[in-house]
Amino acid sequence: MYMHGIDLRVTDEFKDCLVLNTRMAARAITRRYDRALRPYGVTAAQFSILATIARKPGHSITEMAKGLAMDRTTLSRNLDLLAAKKLIVLNDGPTGNSKLCSTTQMGAKLLETLMPEWRKAQAELRKLLAEQPLEDFLASLKRLSAL
């Protein structure tokens, strides 16, 4: 059976696509963390960035982007938002246009407040994953995608 040049039997294979299911799971996990962190005015991505800066202060944006596997432009946009909220400071680095990041006292305090929320979300997701056999990775991704 064909529709618009696509063999519809092939489309059934997409339900088991690792890329599709991984991306869906990542979005579902992000939504869950975003909901937990929303009352504190930060997203899951911003929390990860803030925690990374606190753990490894003084790294350049390029180093952080590589360590977070994040696009440099996306990271810069989030850093600007964190700086506007006075949670981090961006200082000039040793070379031309490089910037170094560090948390402010307000950022460190917020991170301390957020840690229990993050740990709770971590525990919930770990429990959800533990309910399935480890070798059934695809089923776990589909389950996470449904969150």
Side-chain angles (χ1 to χ4, degrees), residues 1-12 14:
M1 183 179 346
Y2 290 90
M3 183 173 90
H4 303 290
I6 298 174
D7 182 345
L8 294 180
R9 292 171 299 184
V10 173
T11 60
D12 286 340
F14 291 125

Side-chain angles (χ1 to χ4, degrees), residues 11-146:
T11 60
D12 286 340
E13 293 176 66
F14 291 125
K15 72 179 190 287
D16 293 332
C17 175
L18 290 173
V19 170
L20 173 64
N21 283 284
T22 301
R23 292 179 59 82
M24 289 171 54
R27 287 190 291 270
I29 291 168
T30 299
R31 282 192 305 272
R32 181 171 276 220
Y33 279 88
D34 280 345
R35 277 194 306 271
L37 301 175
R38 186 174 295 123
Y40 303 95
V42 294
T43 65
Q46 292 167 356
F47 168 79
S48 296
I49 294 165
L50 187 62
T52 297
I53 294 169
R55 204 174 79 239
K56 296 181 179 179
H59 279 78
S60 70
I61 293 173
T62 301
E63 291 169 323
M64 284 195 338
K66 187 181 287 186
L68 289 166
M70 185 180 282
D71 178 74
R72 195 178 185 286
T73 305
T74 302
L75 176 59
S76 292
R77 190 171 44 251
N78 278 288
L79 289 171
D80 289 342
L81 290 170
L82 291 171
K85 294 176 184 180
K86 300 185 183 340
L87 300 174
I88 65 163
V89 291
L90 297 166
N91 295 308
D92 290 333
T95 60
N97 63 351
S98 70
K99 297 284 184 187
L100 303 179
C101 308
S102 58
T103 57
T104 62
Q105 187 174 4
M106 184 188 293
K109 186 170 176 51
L110 178 61
L111 192 55
E112 188 177 314
T113 301
L114 293 176
M115 289 306 294
E117 296 298 325
W118 176 80
R119 286 185 182 110
K120 180 179 171 189
Q122 284 281 98
E124 289 171 0
L125 289 172
R126 286 176 187 265
K127 182 179 178 191
L128 182 67
L129 286 171
E131 292 174 6
Q132 303 238 351
L134 191 55
E135 67 275 0
D136 199 357
F137 185 64
L138 182 59
S140 294
L141 290 176
K142 287 179 181 181
R143 189 171 183 170
L144 286 172
S145 298

